[in-house]
């Protein structure tokens, strides 16, 4: 029964990592990974040859960049600065991310990566401002200006960086989770809950004892929480626990009221127990379940266990565990 319950809980847990994997793979298929990881290197001394509509990333290292005095605005705030590089044959404009302080007038040998965008109207406004500052003719500047701006802001924006970093992480996590679940489906006897109880009790065959007691006689407080002669066993999904009664120090029920509107919630009923090693465990119970009856039955089988929550039992548990209990 225990091994079957472990397999069933692991099978049910496959849903979330499987959906996460499919979602991450779908989003990854929409991103230009090859273009992002292997950008095309551009020569800063030559004009850029670009085919409109293609989704590519480019990398360039101009010798010097000059601030145009123009900034890019997004939602009323500056999100970038326009720079340009100029040779005897052509002029190239760049959109760089916003700097923390005032834009530096000149930048040297900066490695830039971004996408090319055709923005004729924007170029006209920038060159008009440049012509006034440099006392040049705007028409002359436009004659040898590349019509495409290298935009490094969209490449370095937070959303793109999060996607390119988060999606591989999600794929790895979901694959690791699926492998872990498949492993415990195939080998349920190696589940961490069983390994923990074997380690604490130092009984390698404790699984057989628990299976025998579950088949011979048990008391069920809910569908997946059982009290046998010597064990308290939870087979709920996500709450697989096996606890010998002799190791329990204190057991009680309490309600937890989640959220900021907790005064309007009925709360969730939990059964909580502390073992003599100082660890506590919470198992949610249905509101209609009789958790107090289960606790009374535990007390009949093990009179040394502290039953129910009150200040006297709390102080007694603190003395036994030799620690300050601040959980409740």
């Amino acid at each position: 029964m225990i091994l079957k319950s472990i397999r069933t809980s692991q099978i049910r847990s496959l849903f979330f990592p499987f959906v996460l994997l499919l979602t991450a793979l779908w989003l990854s298929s929409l991103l230009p990974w090859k273009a992002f990881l292997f950008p095309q290197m551009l020569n800063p001394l030559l004009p850029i040859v670009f085919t409109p509509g293609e989704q590519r990333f480019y990398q360039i290292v101009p010798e010097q960049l000059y601030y145009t005095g123009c900034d890019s605005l997004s939602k009323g705030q500056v999100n970038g600065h326009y720079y340009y590089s100029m040779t005897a044959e052509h002029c190239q404009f760049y959109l760089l991310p916003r700097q923390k302080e005032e834009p530096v007038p000149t930048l040297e040998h900066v490695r830039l990566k971004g996408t090319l965008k055709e923005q004729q109207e924007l170029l006209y406004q920038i060159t008009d401002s440049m012509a006034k500052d440099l006392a040049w003719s705007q028409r002359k500047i436009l004659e040898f200006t590349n019509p495409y701006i290298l935009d490094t802001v969209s490449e370095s924006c937070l959303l793109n960086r999060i996607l390119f970093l988060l999606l591989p992480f999600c794929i790895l996590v979901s694959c690791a989770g699926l492998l872990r679940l498949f492993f415990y489906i195939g080998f349920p006897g190696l589940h961490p809950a069983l390994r923990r109880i074997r380690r604490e009790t130092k009984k390698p065959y404790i699984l057989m004892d628990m299976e025998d007691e579950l088949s011979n006689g048990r008391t069920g407080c809910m569908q997946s929480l059982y009290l046998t002669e010597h064990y308290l066993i939870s087979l709920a999904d996500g709450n697989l626990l096996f606890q010998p009664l002799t190791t329990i120090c204190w057991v009680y029920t309490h309600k937890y009221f989640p959220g900021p509107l907790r005064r309007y919630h009925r709360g969730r009923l939990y059964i909580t127990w502390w073992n003599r090693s100082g660890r506590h465990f919470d198992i949610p119970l249905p509101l209609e379940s009789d958790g107090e009856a289960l606790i009374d039955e535990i007390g009949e089988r093990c009179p040394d266990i502290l039953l129910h929550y009150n200040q006297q039992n709390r102080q007694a548990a603190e003395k036994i565990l030799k620690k300050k209990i601040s959980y409740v």
Side-chain angles (χ1 to χ4, degrees):
M1 180 179 180
I2 293 177
L3 296 182
K4 182 180 178 180
S5 298
I6 292 176
R7 283 196 178 98
T8 301
S9 68
Q10 302 305 291
I11 292 174
R12 290 174 179 171
S13 300
L14 290 172
F15 176 77
F16 177 74
F18 186 70
V19 172
L20 177 62
L21 178 61
L22 291 181
T23 303
L25 290 175
W26 174 67
L27 292 176
S28 297
S29 66
L30 302 178
L31 295 177
W33 287 98
K34 184 177 179 180
F36 180 78
L37 296 176
F38 305 100
Q40 180 179 339
M41 194 67 185
L42 298 176
N43 190 337
L45 301 178
L46 299 176
I48 297 177
V49 179
F50 173 66
T51 302
E54 65 178 355
Q55 191 176 20
R56 289 196 58 85
F57 286 88
Y58 297 88
Q59 189 165 289
I60 189 171
V61 186
E63 292 185 2
Q64 281 190 326
L65 293 177
Y66 305 96
Y67 180 48
T68 63
C70 300
D71 299 323
S72 173
L73 298 178
S74 177
K75 298 179 180 180
Q77 295 183 348
V78 175
N79 70 330
H81 310 293
Y82 288 101
Y83 282 77
Y84 70 94
S85 63
M86 185 175 294
T87 65
E89 298 181 354
H90 73 279
C91 174
Q92 175 63 51
F93 286 91
Y94 310 87
L95 176 58
L96 275 62
R98 179 179 63 88
Q99 301 175 15
K100 294 182 179 180
E101 300 178 354
E102 291 296 324
V104 180
T106 305
L107 297 173
E108 295 184 356
H109 300 287
V110 180
R111 184 175 296 273
L112 305 175
K113 186 171 79 169
T115 57
L116 290 173
K117 294 183 179 180
E118 186 176 11
Q119 297 175 321
Q120 293 289 349
E121 183 178 353
L122 179 61
L123 279 175
Y124 185 85
Q125 297 175 0
I126 296 175
T127 54
D128 181 59
S129 176
M130 285 179 57
K132 295 177 181 179
D133 294 338
L134 300 176
W136 284 11
S137 168
Q138 182 186 15
R139 181 178 179 182
K140 184 177 181 181
I141 297 176
L142 287 173
E143 285 179 355
F144 64 97
T145 294
N146 195 316
Y148 307 109
I149 297 177
L150 187 68
D151 185 357
T152 66
V153 172
S154 60
E155 183 275 327
S156 61
C157 71
L158 182 60
L159 179 59
N160 276 350
R161 288 188 179 275
I162 289 176
L163 287 177
F164 279 110
L165 294 175
L166 183 61
L167 290 179
F169 176 77
C170 290
I171 292 174
L172 290 175
V173 169
S174 57
C175 288
L178 289 173
L179 290 175
R180 179 179 181 273
L181 292 172
F182 281 126
F183 177 80
Y184 292 133
I185 291 173
F187 305 95
L190 298 178
H191 191 274
L194 289 176
R195 296 206 308 267
R196 181 187 67 83
I197 195 64
R198 291 193 192 101
R199 182 176 63 254
E200 291 181 355
T201 60
K202 299 181 180 180
K203 295 180 180 179
Y205 303 105
I206 191 173
L207 176 60
M208 299 176 60
D209 294 340
M210 292 189 293
E211 290 280 12
D212 290 340
E213 293 195 8
L214 280 173
S215 60
N216 293 332
R218 61 177 184 255
T219 300
C221 177
M222 55 184 293
Q223 185 177 2
S224 54
L225 182 63
Y226 305 102
L227 175 64
T228 67
E229 184 178 358
H230 299 98
Y231 301 99
L232 185 60
I233 300 173
S234 173
L235 300 179
D237 293 343
N239 287 302
L240 289 167
L241 287 172
F242 311 96
Q243 189 70 50
L245 296 180
T246 55
T247 62
I248 296 178
C249 168
W250 184 24
V251 61
Y252 53 88
T253 60
H254 75 283
K255 281 187 177 181
Y256 173 67
F257 299 88
L261 302 177
R262 60 183 62 188
R263 60 183 298 181
Y264 301 105
H265 289 273
R266 296 178 61 190
R268 187 72 184 271
L269 183 65
Y270 285 81
I271 180 171
T272 301
W273 68 85
W274 293 75
N275 61 21
R276 297 185 182 275
S277 63
R279 298 181 61 186
H280 69 267
F281 304 93
D282 292 327
I283 299 296
L285 303 174
L287 289 175
E288 64 275 7
S289 63
D290 193 356
E292 298 296 330
L294 179 66
I295 291 178
D296 292 337
E297 189 169 349
I298 293 175
E300 293 178 1
R301 301 188 183 187
C302 296
D304 295 335
I305 297 179
L306 299 172
L307 306 178
H308 308 295
Y309 180 80
N310 54 56
Q311 193 64 26
Q312 182 179 357
N313 282 345
R314 177 172 180 160
Q315 294 175 356
E318 290 178 353
K319 292 180 180 179
I320 296 174
L321 301 177
K322 297 181 180 179
K323 62 182 295 186
K324 183 69 174 178
I325 298 177
S326 57
Y327 175 72
V328 181

